[in-house]
Amino acid sequence: DAGVTQSPTHLIKTRGQQVTLRCSPISGHKSVSWYQQVLGQGPQFIFQYYEKEERGRGNFPDRFSARQFPNYSSELNVNALLLGDSALYLCASSFTREESTDTQYFGPGTRLTVL
Amino acid sequence: RKEVEQDPGPFNVPEGATVAFNCTYSNSASQSFFWYRQDCRKEPKLLMSVYSSGNEDGRFTAQLNRASQYISLLIRDSKLSDSATYLCVVNSPGAGSYQLTFGKGTKLSVIP
C-alpha cells in the first residue's frame, strides 16, 4: 500500500513569491496535518484538516493557508515568502480526527528553500 | 518552559551499549505519547507509542510517568543502524483539535 505522498520533493523560490505544496494521504485516511521543520528543530504543527474542514491551527501567520479536497488530499499555500520559511514541510495523515490516540504517518516532505 | 523538552545530545555510543533518552512535557492534559525516529533529511517514522504501564519492542523500552510528566526511551545492545535523531512527541489539546508537539530531538550516533 502507498504511504503518504507529497509533491514536489524540492522547491526553490525567492522572497515575496507564493508556493503551493501538495499531499495525498494514505488510502482510507481522512485527516491530514501539516508541519514545518526548520533545520535543527522538531516539526511544528501548522494545520489539521478533517473531512475538508480546518480542525486545528498552530501559531503561524495568515500567510499560511491550506485546504482539503473531497478525495482527502490537501494543499498548503504560503504567500509572500520570507527567508525564514525555508524548511522541510511535512504532511501527516491519520484515520480519524480523534488524535488523542490516533497514529499519524508522515510523508517524505517537501524541502522549500527561499532565496 | 518549552512544551516538550529532550536531552540536548548528541549521544555518541559504541556498538552494544545501552542508551537512555529522557523527555519532559508541560501540558498535563496530554493524552498520548510517542517516540519517533528521524534519519537525516528524511521524514519522522513512528518508533513506538508509550503507555503508562511501560512497553517493550525488542531492544527498545519506553516508559511514561504521568505524575512527573516524564517519558523515557531505553535502547539496549545498540546497533549502527540505530544512528538517527529520536523525537519525543506528545499529543495535546490545542485550538480545535489535538496536536502533535515535538521535542527538538536527540541525535544518536552509534560508533563501530
Side-chain angles (χ1 to χ4, degrees):
Chain A
D1 286 343
V4 179
T5 59
Q6 292 186 243
S7 64
T9 306
H10 296 84
L11 204 52
I12 299 175
K13 292 285 189 178
T14 57
R15 281 178 295 175
Q17 285 189 309
Q18 175 263 343
V19 67
T20 298
L21 311 180
R22 296 176 176 83
C23 171
S24 293
I26 292 171
S27 178
H29 283 194
K30 299 181 178 181
S31 179
V32 169
S33 297
W34 287 94
Y35 295 82
Q36 180 196 64
Q37 186 175 23
V38 299
L39 197 62
Q41 301 292 322
Q44 188 173 358
F45 175 75
I46 309 175
F47 286 112
Q48 187 216 351
Y49 276 76
Y50 179 75
E51 291 286 11
K52 303 179 290 296
E53 291 189 14
E54 181 183 306
R55 300 292 187 170
R57 184 184 183 112
N59 187 25
F60 279 81
D62 291 344
R63 299 185 295 109
F64 289 77
S65 63
R67 55 179 175 168
Q68 186 177 33
F69 299 99
N71 67 352
Y72 303 111
S73 67
S74 178
E75 287 182 351
L76 174 70
N77 297 286
V78 187
N79 294 321
L81 285 167
L82 303 174
L83 295 179
D85 295 332
S86 295
L88 178 67
Y89 288 85
L90 294 159
C91 173
S93 78
S94 58
F95 182 63
T96 70
R97 70 166 291 209
E98 294 302 324
E99 295 187 351
S100 60
T101 56
D102 214 4
T103 298
Q104 293 193 23
Y105 298 90
F106 284 83
T110 294
R111 191 164 298 278
L112 172 65
T113 301
V114 182
L115 301 176
Chain B
R1 181 183 174 187
K2 292 184 179 176
E3 289 191 58
V4 179
E5 290 200 70
Q6 295 186 237
D7 291 329
F11 284 39
N12 300 310
V13 302
E15 273 186 289
T18 296
V19 60
F21 299 133
N22 301 312
C23 172
T24 56
Y25 61 95
S26 61
N27 190 338
S28 59
S30 299
Q31 290 293 320
S32 52
F33 310 88
F34 310 91
W35 284 100
Y36 276 73
R37 169 196 169 127
Q38 187 171 27
D39 293 291
C40 188
R41 302 182 74 81
K42 299 286 189 179
E43 73 274 22
K45 292 187 177 179
L46 180 65
L47 180 66
M48 57 198 305
S49 301
V50 189
Y51 306 112
S52 297
S53 55
N55 48 303
E56 186 174 312
D57 183 2
R59 298 181 293 107
F60 299 83
T61 301
Q63 295 277 354
L64 167 66
N65 185 319
R66 282 187 182 268
S68 302
Q69 297 181 197
Y70 168 85
I71 307 162
S72 66
L73 176 68
L74 185 75
I75 305 176
R76 292 181 299 277
D77 189 23
S78 298
K79 312 291 186 189
L80 295 177
S81 58
D82 294 333
S83 297
T85 295
Y86 290 82
L87 297 161
C88 177
V89 187
V90 173
N91 208 341
S92 305
S97 73
Y98 277 81
Q99 303 170 7
L100 290 186
T101 301
F102 287 76
K104 196 174 178 178
T106 303
K107 186 174 181 180
L108 172 66
S109 295
V110 181
I111 304 163

